[in-house]
Amino acid sequence: MNRGKVRNHALYFLGVLTYVVALLPFFSVNLVKALVLIPIIAYTLPIMEYLQPKIMSLKIGYKDILLMIPPIIPYVFLPYNEIRIVYVLIPLMLMLLTFTLYLTKYTMWGNVIGTAFEASISIVWGLFINNPLFLIPSIYWLFYIFTGALYVEYKIPYRKLDKRVVQISWVVSLVLLIVLSLNNPITLITLIEPSTRYLIPGEKLKSPKEIRELGKRGSKKDILFVVLLTITYTLSRIFLTI
């Protein structure tokens, strides 16, 4: 495995933010497990980077499959019940769907679902660190990243994706998140900025050369989203205890 220069900065960036989301609202996590999770993530992300092009090109060997096993082992021994199993099924189904889409040559959708899969790992990480309040931030993050991935694919000049797909995805996400946030209405403030992007996505980029700049702007907005989610969700939990 190539351990040289990191190529997929977006994967690592998303992984770090996903870890932060799993910790929200911070005061409810098992600190020891949160620290133990760091080296697990440090191993998992390079493996994901290494395997991603192989999965996309459907050139996975048995050695590659063996590399997938160590990152999974810590989660096998989690204490599971019916609800936890349902939670774990979310990233598992997204992972399987990603493989299926690449296998059937739907590369664009494989990219979108694959990105959503990485965001959904916050659910498993939240369970690992015994965070009883992980669900709402994780669902916010998953919907945001999923629609964000659609938004990026739409903006790419050579992608044949209608902007209405982005808009519909976000409208559905908004409805579900509003229902989910009935006890945490302050958290809905987090959705204002992405709504301006996803409901009014604008025109496609004029040149593929602009994709890099789109990524940089998107990264800043991802950080803003996580910061706002952290503040609003933490405040909502504090208000609920008063």
Side-chain angles (χ1 to χ4, degrees):
M1 184 171 62
N2 182 8
R3 298 183 182 275
K5 183 179 179 181
V6 173
R7 297 179 300 275
N8 195 341
H9 296 282
L11 184 147
Y12 286 85
F13 178 77
L14 179 58
V16 170
L17 290 183
T18 298
Y19 173 68
V20 173
V21 170
L23 298 175
L24 297 182
F26 298 119
F27 52 74
S28 60
V29 304
N30 182 313
L31 181 58
V32 174
K33 286 192 172 184
L35 293 174
V36 169
L37 186 57
I38 292 175
I40 296 174
I41 295 173
Y43 176 83
T44 302
L45 294 181
I47 293 298
M48 291 176 66
E49 180 192 24
Y50 171 73
L51 291 176
Q52 186 181 46
K54 288 179 170 285
I55 293 171
M56 292 177 67
S57 60
L58 304 177
K59 295 180 179 179
I60 301 179
Y62 72 92
K63 291 183 179 179
D64 300 321
I65 295 175
L66 290 176
L67 285 174
M68 298 180 188
I69 296 176
I72 298 174
I73 291 175
Y75 312 114
V76 173
F77 300 101
L78 289 176
Y80 288 103
N81 55 34
E82 291 83 357
I83 297 298
R84 283 173 169 246
I85 290 174
V86 171
Y87 291 158
V88 171
L89 283 176
I90 295 173
L92 180 60
M93 288 189 296
L94 288 173
M95 181 180 69
L96 294 176
L97 182 56
T98 300
F99 290 153
T100 302
L101 289 167
Y102 283 135
L103 182 64
T104 53
K105 307 297 184 182
Y106 288 98
T107 304
M108 185 198 74
W109 284 103
N111 294 339
V112 171
I113 301 300
T115 303
F117 159 68
E118 186 178 356
S120 74
I121 298 176
S122 65
I123 296 172
V124 180
W125 290 346
L127 291 173
F128 182 85
I129 60 179
N130 293 340
N131 182 0
L133 302 175
F134 75 92
L135 185 59
I136 289 180
S138 292
I139 297 300
Y140 264 69
W141 184 236
L142 175 57
F143 286 170
Y144 169 78
I145 290 298
F146 174 73
T147 306
L150 285 173
Y151 173 82
V152 170
E153 293 293 339
Y154 157 71
K155 298 293 277 188
I156 296 174
Y158 49 83
R159 293 291 198 219
K160 295 181 180 179
L161 184 68
D162 195 294
K163 64 181 176 182
R164 285 175 292 185
V165 176
V166 181
Q167 294 167 329
I168 292 171
S169 172
W170 191 240
V171 168
V172 172
S173 297
L174 283 176
V175 172
L176 294 174
L177 290 173
I178 288 171
V179 173
L180 188 66
S181 304
L182 292 178
N183 293 326
N184 305 275
I186 298 176
T187 314
L188 293 172
I189 294 173
T190 309
L191 306 177
I192 295 175
E193 189 284 322
S195 293
T196 62
R197 271 186 291 152
Y198 300 156
L199 296 179
I200 312 174
E203 300 300 321
K204 285 180 172 287
L205 299 178
K206 292 181 173 58
S207 167
K209 295 180 180 179
E210 298 177 282
I211 295 175
R212 184 179 180 86
E213 184 59 32
L214 176 69
K216 289 181 179 179
R217 293 198 305 269
S219 296
K220 293 177 182 177
K221 290 174 181 178
D222 291 346
I223 293 173
L224 174 62
F225 182 87
V226 172
V227 169
L228 288 175
L229 182 60
T230 300
I231 294 171
T232 57
Y233 188 58
T234 301
L235 287 175
S236 71
R237 299 309 307 181
I238 292 173
F239 291 154
L240 284 174
T241 59
I242 296 177

